[in-house]
Amino acid sequence: DAMVIQNPRYQVTQFGKPVTLSCSQTLNHNVMYWYQQKSSQAPKLLFHYYDKDFNNEADTPDNFQSRRPNTSFCFLDIRSPGLGDAAMYLCATSRGPSGRGSNEQFFGPGTRLTVL
Amino acid sequence: QQQVKQSPQSLIVQKGGISIINCAYENTAFDYFPWYQQFPGKGPALLIAIRPDVSEKKEGRFTISFNKSAKQFSLHIMDSQPGDSATYFCAASKEAAGNKLTFGGGTRVLVKP
């Protein structure tokens, strides 16, 4: 089945120790998104890629970076995790750019990040 | 203003009852309105979506009602089941803006058996 896969599902890191979360998709979608979701809150968009074109949200801290080496994979790098970065990180994809169905976003299962 | 306001924050309904969640938006450029269902520890899953050219869309027990003039849309869950207990998010996006979703705050629904 076509899907969005996130690894690992659970990640524990230490305060200030860099961590990388990964996302892969078999949907062959053009757009990939990274969201941060804290407990009892809505997902918050960090950035997205349209193909190789990177789009950062204005309020995304510099501590968060992303890489998309090819269509299928996208990585979220947190350079120096703080306690406030503990959250669920969600990857999503959409077909883009236009036409019926292009808006639909498909989410992965998420990676739960714990910062000690 | 890109905000989407969702109410109520939480909802308790008896099995077989109707769950109703409401959302209001400000940006008239939004052209896509999805609802997502999220279970604890899982990613959101697209439940049903509507575009502003229709006033209602039904898929099984789930119905979206859309009022363009009032800039409001709602999700009705008919014959609610305990398995429907989850958090529901409404959202809105506009295709020209990279399909970025603006989410409502979420509604936690509990269906009692």
Side-chain angles (χ1 to χ4, degrees):
Chain A
D1 287 340
M3 57 197 310
V4 181
I5 302 162
Q6 290 189 246
N7 285 304
R9 294 293 315 278
Y10 301 91
Q11 176 72 58
V12 180
T13 190
Q14 291 181 334
F15 182 93
K17 185 176 181 180
V19 65
T20 295
L21 310 181
S22 72
C23 176
S24 64
Q25 54 125 343
T26 61
L27 297 159
N28 202 31
H29 281 173
N30 294 307
V31 193
M32 295 187 77
Y33 309 80
W34 278 106
Y35 290 86
Q36 179 192 65
Q37 186 178 28
K38 296 187 175 181
S39 182
S40 302
Q41 295 183 20
K44 179 181 181 296
L45 182 65
L46 296 173
F47 25 60
H48 74 279
Y49 274 93
Y50 182 85
D51 286 333
K52 294 182 179 181
D53 183 23
F54 177 72
N55 299 272
N56 198 32
E57 292 302 295
D59 58 354
T60 298
D62 292 340
N63 197 28
F64 293 88
Q65 304 286 318
S66 185
R67 297 169 284 136
R68 189 178 186 187
N70 54 53
T71 300
S72 301
F73 285 87
C74 195
F75 299 98
L76 170 62
D77 301 308
I78 308 176
R79 294 192 295 186
S80 182
L83 298 178
D85 296 328
M88 174 79 87
Y89 288 88
L90 296 162
C91 175
T93 72
S94 70
R95 182 162 56 84
S98 61
R100 291 277 172 175
S102 63
N103 303 75
E104 295 179 20
Q105 285 193 26
F106 298 88
F107 284 81
T111 295
R112 171 75 63 188
L113 178 68
T114 300
V115 182
L116 300 178
Chain B
Q1 180 65 284
Q2 297 286 325
Q3 200 173 15
V4 175
K5 295 181 180 179
Q6 183 172 346
S7 63
Q9 285 187 312
S10 63
L11 181 61
I12 299 174
V13 63
Q14 292 294 127
K15 179 182 176 182
I18 302 173
S19 304
I20 301 174
I21 307 170
N22 300 299
C23 284
Y25 62 97
E26 294 292 328
N27 190 341
T28 55
F30 286 141
D31 56 10
Y32 176 70
F33 302 88
W35 285 90
Y36 283 86
Q37 179 189 56
Q38 186 176 28
F39 294 105
K42 307 289 185 182
L46 180 64
L47 192 61
I48 187 172
I50 198 168
R51 295 181 185 276
D53 52 348
V54 297
S55 60
E56 186 174 281
K57 183 174 181 180
K58 183 176 181 179
E59 289 183 2
R61 296 185 293 107
F62 301 93
T63 300
I64 300 178
S65 297
F66 185 81
N67 186 329
K68 188 174 181 178
S69 60
K71 293 187 286 185
Q72 295 176 346
F73 58 111
S74 61
L75 176 69
H76 292 61
I77 307 173
M78 312 299 286
D79 187 26
S80 296
Q81 300 296 312
D84 297 332
S85 297
T87 299
Y88 293 81
F89 291 97
C90 65
S93 71
K94 52 182 179 179
E95 190 177 308
N99 303 328
K100 293 194 297 183
L101 291 172
T102 299
F103 281 94
T107 298
R108 183 173 289 185
V109 174
L110 176 63
V111 182
K112 289 193 168 183

